[in-house]
Amino acid sequence: MELPLFPLNTVLFPGGVLPLRIFETRYIDMVRHCLRTDAPFGVILIREGAEVAGPARIHAVGTWGRIIDWDQRPDGLLGITVQGEVRFRVERTWVRKDGLMMGEVAELPTSPDVLLPAEFLSLSELLQRLLQELPPPYRGMTGEFDRCGWVGARLTELMPFESAQKQALLEMDDHLARLFHLRDALIGLHPG
């Protein structure tokens, strides 16, 4: 599958939401095309380089998402909200004449989500508190607070971890293993 890629300094998981401000012509054109055709685009973490100007070096795994909302911001920029759908692996990339990075991608299989074990209920409670305190599109987000995959993905997106750590968690296939790593990382943030 060919997919336009949006290299960013953030990680998006399936089921997650990501508000973005769009100001570069190549991405305005991409958004226009995606809105017109209801096509997805890939959100992928930058390995080296910058979000603006020339092409960046990217990680091999990202998430494609669709635009679920858009508006014109008070600063005149285009604002969009993207919802993550499916993880993918980049097979190859190229850059179009307009500077937009394209990728040939393969969908990664989705592991079945499992019920949250009792030892991780505190993570679900933490996530629910966070979502009540954050602004839209996070506030009022509904989901599967009793599922390992959903809780682990949302917490990873929201916690102040390094991007490389979030990327490693995105690349994990086992939802329960991701929760163990996430719990250990949260303990590292607040030892004692």
Side-chain angles (χ1 to χ4, degrees), residues 1-7 30 33-34 38-44 58 62-66 85-90 92-94 96 100-107:
M1 174 178 181
E2 287 186 8
L3 198 65
L5 299 177
F6 199 153
M30 179 195 75
H33 170 76
C34 289
D38 192 34
F41 65 89
V43 173
I44 193 149
I58 57 173
T63 300
W64 77 59
R66 282 183 212 280
E85 291 183 348
V86 176
R87 290 183 317 142
F88 63 84
R89 176 173 303 286
V90 177
R92 70 181 185 95
T93 64
W94 64 96
R96 295 189 332 197
L100 184 67
M101 183 181 288
M102 297 292 295
E104 183 179 314
V105 304
E107 181 177 338

Side-chain angles (χ1 to χ4, degrees), residues 59-118:
H59 284 266
V61 174
T63 300
W64 77 59
R66 282 183 212 280
I67 301 168
I68 58 171
D69 196 13
W70 65 274
D71 65 351
Q72 179 132 8
R73 300 286 168 98
D75 58 9
L77 298 179
L78 175 63
I80 63 172
T81 302
V82 179
Q83 181 156 36
E85 291 183 348
V86 176
R87 290 183 317 142
F88 63 84
R89 176 173 303 286
V90 177
E91 304 294 330
R92 70 181 185 95
T93 64
W94 64 96
V95 178
R96 295 189 332 197
K97 283 188 284 186
D98 64 359
L100 184 67
M101 183 181 288
M102 297 292 295
E104 183 179 314
V105 304
E107 181 177 338
L108 290 175
T110 303
S111 301
D113 206 348
V114 294
L115 282 174
L116 195 70

Side-chain angles (χ1 to χ4, degrees), residues 5 7 20 41 48-49 63 97 102 108 144 146 152 164 171 183 186:
L5 299 177
L20 295 170
F41 65 89
E48 289 178 15
T63 300
K97 283 188 284 186
M102 297 292 295
L108 290 175
E144 300 174 343
D146 62 343
E171 293 179 12
R183 183 181 63 190
L186 287 169

Side-chain angles (χ1 to χ4, degrees), residues 7 9-10 22-23 38 58 63 81 85 154 167 170 181 188:
N9 286 313
T10 192
I22 309 298
F23 53 89
D38 192 34
I58 57 173
T63 300
T81 302
E85 291 183 348
R154 299 298 74 77
Q167 180 69 27
L170 173 68
H181 284 278

Side-chain angles (χ1 to χ4, degrees), residues 126-136 138-140:
L126 171 64
L127 176 59
Q128 290 176 61
R129 285 194 310 273
L130 283 172
L131 292 175
Q132 290 171 1
E133 295 174 12
L134 291 171
Y138 306 103
R139 182 181 298 135

